[in-house]
Amino acid sequence: MFKKILIANRGEIAVRVIRACREMGITAVAVYSDADRASLHVIQADEAYHLGPSAAADSYLNIPKILDAAKRSGADAIHPGYGFLSENAGFAQACADTGIKFIGPTAAAMEMMGSKTRARQTMAQAGIPFVPGAFRGLSSVEEAAEVADKIGYPVMLKAAAGGGGKGMRLIQAREELQSALPAAQSEAQRAFGDGEVYMEKAILHPRHIEMQVLADEHGNTVYLGERECSIQRRHQKVMEEAPSPMVSADLRRRMGEVAVRVAKTAGYTNAGTVEFLVDQEQNFYFLEMNTRLQVEHPVTELVTGLDLVHLQIRIAAGETLPFAQDDVSLRGHAIECRIYAEDPDNNYFPSPGKITLLLAPSGPGIRRDSGMYEGWTVPIDYDPLLAKLIGYGSDRPQAISRLVRALREYFVGGIKTNLALFRRILSDPDFQAGRLDTGYLDRLLQSPHSAASQEDSKVAAIAAGVFAVLDSASPGRVAERGPEPVSHWKRTARTEALGEQLRTKN
Ligand code: MV4
């Protein structure tokens, strides 16, 4: 087993990996940029090495600097977390060349999944179901029109080097190809340094469901069930859950077996995620494979009872998987909320700043993976994810009610967050019924309720006063309205009062 692991990341995921190291008796080494001198992962680690200026290119994306810190610390392995260098095949190879174990797949497996056209070719040969369309880049509008005629409109143009929806275009009819193809190609060139664009049939109102896999270095591969990831905005996931409320045991087994075949075909090792689109008839299609530990891994941990980071480390150290597919069982339900430092009143634009007061929830069925603390200043330089709040219960309704309760306990003062969005999603009838697809959140945010929820907080505070008077004057009338609306107004008034207190404290 490793003695010392360097975590080439920051924020909540660095803290998550440090926790696993502690539990396993491994020394945890943090790295940090100027902006992160006082960040939680630096405080929590056993050792910390300064990388350089705040810009990611000078710190968390700088391979020579990270390898230098690893050598100086004497780390025998590197955990990349997610984002930054986690899916960089060059980094995985550089680690291998330096004799430091990269906790993740090999550079070759990463490269195979890095090009979507290459992945599609390989997966098609292995009999994996994929979205109909082209296997190579389009070289002309005429060729694009031919492919589109074959598969039928609407179609999607996608960047081969892309992922996460960047550079994607929906094409309804042939006329649009003339300008859309060259535009997509130059956009892909600018964004990924690779202008290859290919075509797929568009799946309308799909669900985004992903399957967690785990593979050791001795040929054993298992799937750990799916995560429903349809609640997202601008290709940014906001809420994930396991299991998906719409996946039957039969569909899970079929998707899981395909995911294992994808991993085996790619020669995949360690933890990975196979992404699928699922259409309205429950057909599923391979989309891409994420060759890293994902943000949303905790929901899988809660329903499987497994610790994915422990297992990643054990696999990287050469151990065989300590269980077989038949030993994996799912129990209960878990839902994750991604708490971002962003301003709901300003189109969810990042909103960094100092956290002046932090009241954090806990209690039954609540897990919180956080990178923030009271007094810390959220830097503007990185992704604004602050924390993940995960509710767990024996069934979905219990997971929801625990989350609703925990969200009421959560208070982050001094900065804007998206916390209120989760209260809204969790109380939405469509969410509660599990009626989700990738358009769900945009529809919710456009629905009339949003105008009311964005009402000026001063108006809410005045209304709270009115309701408080009504409350004491005629309790019967208030009771008729039910406990929810009343407590909402009261809560608004209390939150407002807390805000006043804060302003005087600063
Ligand atoms: C699609 C699609 C419909 N048809 N491909 C967006 C992210 C990237 N990983 C793939 N994406 C999509 N690919 C075909 N052929 C719709 C999406 C899509 C989507 C996928 C997952 C999660 C959210 C999404 C939101 C809009 C579109």
Side-chain angles (χ1 to χ4, degrees):
M1 183 42 68
F2 308 120
K3 291 198 159 46
K4 199 182 257 199
I5 294 176
L6 180 140
I7 299 121
N9 215 301
R10 63 178 301 282
E12 68 84 20
I13 193 62
V15 173
R16 167 72 187 89
V17 178
I18 292 168
R19 283 178 168 153
C21 291
R22 277 277 147 68
E23 290 163 5
M24 298 175 79
I26 298 167
T27 303
V29 181
V31 288
Y32 61 97
S33 67
D34 283 350
D36 275 329
R37 282 183 187 280
S39 289
L40 191 60
H41 72 288
V42 179
I43 296 171
Q44 298 279 335
D46 297 298
E47 297 173 24
Y49 289 79
H50 181 238
L51 292 174
S54 304
D58 299 319
S59 50
Y60 304 105
L61 283 174
N62 191 303
I63 295 175
K65 283 184 179 177
I66 289 170
L67 289 179
D68 181 58
K71 277 181 246 169
R72 279 191 288 147
S73 70
D76 35 21
I78 292 182
H79 195 299
Y82 53 69
F84 295 122
L85 294 170
S86 62
E87 298 190 271
N88 185 313
F91 181 56
Q93 191 56 53
C95 289
D97 295 343
T98 318
I100 295 169
K101 183 71 182 188
F102 177 83
I103 302 174
T106 60
M110 254 186 224
E111 259 163 12
M112 127 108 329
M113 292 301 175
S115 159
K116 297 170 91 174
T117 41
R118 212 179 136 197
R120 275 168 68 82
Q121 286 160 21
T122 312
M123 295 311 151
Q125 275 163 16
I128 302 297
F130 55 91
V131 189
F135 287 104
R136 30 187 207 102
L138 299 163
S139 49
S140 70
V141 173
E142 289 66 40
E143 187 192 352
E146 250 173 63
V147 179
D149 281 339
K150 228 183 286 161
I151 60 179
Y153 290 92
V155 297
M156 283 285 191
L157 292 178
K158 292 187 175 186
K166 239 189 177 175
M168 217 174 68
R169 272 187 172 69
L170 178 65
I171 308 291
Q172 301 283 0
R174 189 189 167 125
E175 306 84 79
E176 298 170 32
L177 282 173
Q178 192 69 42
S179 64
L181 181 64
Q185 284 168 330
S186 61
E187 195 177 311
Q189 183 64 45
R190 261 179 289 125
F192 312 110
D194 176 356
E196 187 182 346
V197 167
Y198 72 104
M199 184 181 284
E200 283 180 7
K201 184 167 180 60
I203 310 293
L204 300 178
H205 308 292
R207 281 180 291 136
H208 181 199
I209 294 180
E210 57 186 32
M211 189 60 71
Q212 178 71 52
V213 296
L214 213 48
D216 67 21
E217 297 175 357
H218 310 279
N220 306 298
T221 309
V222 295
Y223 65 90
L224 304 179
E226 80 284 359
R227 293 183 287 260
E228 167 70 64
C229 300
S230 295
I231 303 185
Q232 54 80 46
R233 192 174 161 273
R234 296 182 179 169
H235 305 298
Q236 174 98 273
K237 290 171 190 164
V238 170
M239 219 170 175
E240 307 94 344
E241 62 182 293
S244 165
M246 290 114 107
V247 170
S248 65
D250 175 63
L251 181 58
R252 175 172 307 117
R253 188 184 43 75
R254 288 188 289 124
M255 289 177 81
E257 286 172 3
V258 165
V260 166
R261 244 163 61 218
V262 168
K264 286 189 181 245
T265 303
Y268 198 86
T269 49
N270 217 285
T273 297
V274 180
E275 283 189 17
F276 295 101
L277 283 184
V278 182
D279 70 15
Q280 289 170 315
E281 282 83 47
Q282 308 267 52
N283 299 304
F284 62 90
Y285 309 92
F286 168 73
L287 207 53
E288 53 191 83
M289 183 164 189
N290 298 317
T291 58
R292 59 170 191 276
L293 180 72
Q294 291 199 250
V295 177
E296 58 272 26
H297 76 277
V299 294
T300 299
E301 295 191 317
L302 289 168
V303 299
T304 58
L306 298 169
D307 188 308
L308 288 175
V309 181
H310 279 237
L311 288 161
Q312 280 194 295
I313 294 170
R314 291 175 62 177
I315 287 169
E319 292 186 20
T320 54
L321 270 179
F323 54 83
Q325 187 65 58
D326 286 348
D327 303 319
V328 178
S329 62
L330 303 185
R331 189 177 157 164
H333 202 97
I335 305 175
E336 172 179 279
C337 303
R338 296 192 186 192
I339 318 296
Y340 287 106
E342 55 186 26
D343 185 357
D345 297 328
N346 185 17
N347 210 16
Y348 292 91
F349 208 73
S351 169
K354 184 172 178 177
I355 296 168
T356 51
L357 177 65
L358 183 59
L359 305 176
S362 57
I366 291 299
R367 167 172 170 179
R368 187 166 35 81
D369 283 24
S370 172
M372 64 177 155
Y373 64 89
E374 192 172 296
W376 180 62
T377 298
V378 184
I380 51 163
D381 310 83
Y382 314 106
D383 182 276
L385 182 71
L386 295 170
K388 304 179 307 205
L389 185 69
I390 307 113
Y392 175 75
S394 53
D395 54 19
R396 192 166 185 265
Q398 190 182 38
I400 291 174
S401 60
R402 282 173 161 169
L403 260 186
V404 170
R405 182 268 297 165
L407 284 162
R408 281 187 195 175
E409 296 174 12
Y410 223 152
F411 184 87
V412 185
I415 58 166
K416 299 276 178 59
T417 73
N418 64 341
L419 272 168
L421 175 62
F422 300 109
R423 301 186 181 115
R424 197 161 155 219
I425 295 170
L426 291 164
S427 63
D428 175 53
D430 282 338
F431 173 80
Q432 289 179 359
R435 282 189 292 268
L436 307 170
D437 66 70
T438 52
Y440 167 83
L441 190 53
D442 286 336
R443 287 195 300 275
L444 186 77
L445 290 171
Q446 275 160 29
S447 69
H449 179 104
S450 82
S453 70
Q454 284 171 17
E455 216 172 24
D456 189 85
S457 61
K458 284 200 174 110
V459 175
I462 293 164
V466 175
F467 273 93
V469 172
L470 285 177
D471 201 356
S472 53
S474 70
R477 196 178 152 241
V478 169
E480 269 167 33
R481 305 175 66 94
E484 263 305 302
V486 172
S487 66
H488 172 74
W489 292 112
K490 283 183 178 170
R491 215 164 54 242
T492 305
R494 289 170 43 145
T495 309
E496 190 60 19
L498 202 53
E500 289 299 339
Q501 207 178 31
L502 269 180
R503 271 189 283 280
T504 53
K505 242 202 248 176
N506 292 344

